[in-house]
Amino acid sequence: MSKQFDVIVIGGGPGGYIAAIRAAQLGFNTACIDEWKNGKGGPAPGGTCTNVGCIPSKALLQSSEHFEHANKHFAEHGITASDVKMDVAKMLARKDGVVKQNNDGILYLFKKNKVSFFHGRGSFAKAAEGGYEIKVAGAAEETLVGKHIIVATGSNARQLPGVPFDEETVLSNDGALRVGAVPKKLALIGSGVIGLEMGSVWRRLGADVTILEGLPTFLGAVDEQIAKEAKKAFDKQGLKVELGVKVGEVAKTQAGVTIDYTDAKGEAKKLEADKLIVSIGRVPNTIGLNAEAVGLKLDDRGAIIVDDECKTSLPNVWAVGDVVRGPMLAHKAEEEGVAVAERIAGQHGHVNFNTIPWVIYTSPEIAWVGRTEQQLKADGVKYKAGTFPFLANGRARALGDTTGMVKFLADATTDEILGVHIVGPMASELISEAVVAMEFKASAEDIARICHAHPSLSEATKEAALAVDKRTLNF
Ligand code: FAD
Ligand code: NAI
């Protein structure tokens, strides 16, 4: 006998588990199927984000930042820390502990919200009376029938053609998060978000890091002024980024790996390294979903085709997160998951793609929301810009971290905030104020007139808003 559900979610990453919780909160009899296994073969819900993405990368970024501070910055505070060592095994064990807390937290949330969890691979069997028949292949085989299906099967790392990941020498994000000893020389291909975050981790721990980037521009999607400021900081740290390269043969050797490439001037070069992290983007994952059994339509990138409301080509089948169009971000996946559950309940779930924040957790952090200066120019929008450097912010000076700035872009006529771009300390937290402001269609003057605590980094946000009207107080 098959088990009947109102909603079945396939995939338990941030898109899927949040959709399942919201659906259950709305009174639906809900199941979530996820196949991720922990080291012991048990369930590890949370998807890429929890297991090999957001959470473990931030754990390693924190550990490596502490190490760098102890080695390079404690002395400024009068603290002598001699013979500082990094126990990589302990750092990785701590990271695994953080991941497990999150896995366990999700299992707890499923229980609390009465979501039925199935550990295994979910696949479409057929359209059935009252919905769709879904097979679960795990420790036990199950057949479920759901009136509504939400597909949230995420994404996988993109391989370089002909260079498969072995997770020993050629690493995806998975292997990059469990390198057992600091490599002497680390190469990365792709200076996007993963390249910069993982490159920073291993550089701080002592690796000689080189990132090879195909595009001639550094962080092309980021506001140009902010990207330039970030690049200056990374150069100073010794994080080497070569732009405009063309990667040729990648060969594994006894010592590690060699990468043949042509540099921006067209010169042939060879990079030797102990390990190579390939971080050239991710591809939507529908492996094993058996989408063809029910005729679920994919685009030519392999993403499930959805409309603005996450409706697929099939009635009552929805898809959210990395497996559909849009930015591959955990919070975007979560917002879509909530919106879909609410739409199933007849409510008006909504996701505002114009106010999705981006954060790169390097040091300095880079965060932004809305349009960049180059996008506004391209769109022919008349705008005013205001910037404020952390160098002139009291809290940043006290922290000893004055790199970077906050930048506001506002409509020249209405003063509505069109974009906020930050490079500097705690940019990841500061950006929230800008997101709220943009969601409420605030003007730069609105932020400039709000009382911000002193001394705080957020005063730089207020000052940048004041700068739009050319009336900063502290600069
Ligand atoms: P996923 O998290 O990929 O989850 C999909 C789940 O579905 C997985 O558990 C998978 O095992 C399961 N699954 C797939 N197929 C089936 C099936 N047929 N049956 C059962 N289960 C199945 N984003 C941020 O916003 N902030 C960050 O700081 C950040 N850092 C990142 C760092 C790294 C190194 C990486 C790789 C990614 C990072 N991301 C970050 C991106 C973020 O991880 C993804 O955007 C997010 O996980 C997408 O969520 P999702 O639910 O769509 O898919
Ligand atoms: P990315 O899209 O951020 O960067 C990939 C980079 O590789 C680009 O700069 C691209 O030009 C370059 N590239 C592509 N092919 C190349 C080639 N053949 N040779 C040289 N360079 C090449 O992708 P990344 O870093 O793999 O991350 C995947 C996604 O995961 C991100 O886009 C983001 O959505 C998510 N993520 C988010 C994080 C966050 O929010 N802090 C952290 C890490 C990942």
Side-chain angles (χ1 to χ4, degrees):
M1 250 305 265
S2 57
K3 294 180 180 157
Q4 302 275 332
F5 290 94
D6 298 323
V7 177
I8 297 175
V9 184
I10 306 178
Y17 91 77
I18 289 291
I21 289 173
R22 187 69 191 118
Q25 283 176 348
L26 289 163
F28 295 116
N29 179 18
T30 305
C32 182
I33 310 166
D34 188 80
E35 65 177 342
W36 207 292
K37 291 188 180 122
N38 63 24
K40 293 177 185 151
T48 302
C49 170
T50 301
N51 293 293
V52 292
C54 325
I55 300 300
S57 61
K58 267 78 250 179
L60 296 189
L61 279 156
Q62 191 61 51
S63 300
S64 60
E65 193 160 10
H66 283 322
F67 183 68
E68 180 145 280
H69 276 293
N71 269 317
K72 296 194 178 152
H73 304 299
F74 274 12
E76 296 157 24
H77 296 265
I79 304 167
T80 308
S82 54
D83 201 21
V84 177
K85 291 200 182 83
M86 173 47 84
D87 181 340
V88 173
K90 198 159 178 184
M91 174 183 77
L92 296 182
R94 175 187 174 275
K95 179 252 317 174
D96 292 342
V98 174
V99 168
K100 185 171 183 314
Q101 283 168 10
N102 283 273
N103 297 142
D104 293 348
I106 295 165
L107 289 170
Y108 161 78
L109 290 170
F110 281 160
K111 265 209 183 107
K112 183 182 158 202
N113 289 284
K114 301 192 173 50
V115 172
S116 303
F117 176 66
F118 295 88
H119 189 212
R121 174 168 284 185
S123 59
F124 283 100
K126 59 181 184 204
E129 195 168 330
Y132 296 86
E133 190 177 295
I134 305 293
K135 291 248 179 269
V136 185
E141 303 276 314
E142 305 257 7
T143 302
L144 318 180
V145 172
K147 190 167 171 207
H148 286 268
I149 310 296
I150 304 175
V151 182
T153 46
S155 63
N156 293 316
R158 183 195 305 281
Q159 295 189 0
L160 265 179
V163 190
F165 296 119
D166 62 12
E167 304 299 3
E168 283 296 324
T169 312
V170 180
L171 315 173
S172 70
N173 56 295
D174 183 4
L177 289 159
R178 50 188 172 83
V179 178
V182 180
K184 267 208 175 74
K185 291 185 110 190
L186 174 67
L188 295 98
I189 300 180
S191 72
V193 199
I194 295 181
L196 292 172
E197 289 188 356
M198 296 317 299
S200 291
V201 166
W202 296 106
R203 181 205 57 76
R204 291 170 187 166
L205 299 180
D208 174 6
V209 177
T210 306
I211 311 180
L212 301 177
E213 166 60 45
L215 292 177
T217 325
F218 180 65
L219 286 178
V222 175
D223 185 88
E224 230 170 75
Q225 192 179 4
I226 297 292
K228 270 196 187 136
E229 191 73 12
K231 179 76 167 50
K232 260 200 295 187
F234 298 143
D235 287 348
K236 219 161 115 190
Q237 292 164 5
L239 185 70
K240 288 172 274 180
V241 183
E242 276 204 52
L243 299 172
V245 311
K246 193 165 182 335
V247 172
E249 197 194 346
V250 174
K252 283 202 272 176
T253 62
Q254 205 125 46
V257 59
T258 60
I259 303 128
D260 290 326
Y261 67 98
T262 315
D263 72 9
K265 291 184 206 132
E267 259 176 58
K269 294 216 171 136
K270 190 185 278 293
L271 180 65
E272 290 178 8
D274 308 319
K275 309 256 180 210
L276 167 67
I277 298 173
V278 178
S279 46
I280 56 168
R282 297 180 63 80
V283 283
N285 169 39
T286 51
I287 299 167
L289 185 65
N290 204 19
E292 42 310 335
V294 285
L296 182 64
K297 284 202 181 123
L298 312 184
D299 67 15
D300 47 12
R301 287 170 45 247
I304 296 175
I305 296 173
V306 288
D307 66 8
D308 288 351
E309 298 197 320
C310 292
K311 286 184 180 141
T312 68
S313 56
L314 298 173
N316 296 346
V317 178
W318 311 73
V320 301
D322 281 10
V323 76
V324 304
R325 59 28 205 152
M328 289 187 169
L329 295 172
H331 40 285
K332 175 263 191 185
E334 291 184 14
E335 292 301 306
E336 286 183 335
V338 168
V340 163
E342 293 180 350
R343 283 170 196 140
I344 291 173
Q347 299 181 2
H348 296 279
H350 102 292
V351 182
N352 183 356
F353 274 82
N354 297 323
T355 54
I356 294 176
W358 276 85
V359 179
I360 306 178
Y361 293 81
T362 43
S363 179
E365 291 185 344
I366 305 164
W368 71 97
V369 58
R371 280 184 281 177
T372 61
E373 204 166 339
Q374 59 268 27
Q375 278 171 332
L376 292 175
K377 276 183 188 149
D379 295 348
V381 176
K382 293 229 172 354
Y383 64 91
K384 297 177 286 182
T387 58
F388 188 82
F390 284 107
L391 199 64
N393 174 272
R395 183 72 192 281
R397 287 193 199 123
L399 287 171
D401 196 353
T402 53
T403 312
M405 68 178 88
V406 180
K407 173 172 180 174
F408 266 65
L409 297 168
D411 187 282
T413 317
T414 65
D415 197 38
E416 181 180 340
I417 303 166
L418 302 175
V420 176
H421 306 271
I422 309 176
V423 54
M426 302 307 279
S428 54
E429 300 296 333
L430 294 173
I431 200 66
S432 294
E433 182 180 3
V435 176
V436 173
M438 285 186 64
E439 195 65 60
F440 283 87
K441 297 208 166 289
S443 63
E445 188 185 350
D446 287 330
I447 298 297
R449 285 189 181 277
I450 290 172
C451 180
H452 288 67
H454 177 74
S456 70
L457 296 170
S458 69
E459 286 173 293
T461 307
K462 177 190 170 101
E463 290 273 8
L466 280 166
V468 169
D469 203 23
K470 297 195 175 31
R471 56 185 194 95
T472 52
L473 296 164
N474 284 288
F475 189 62

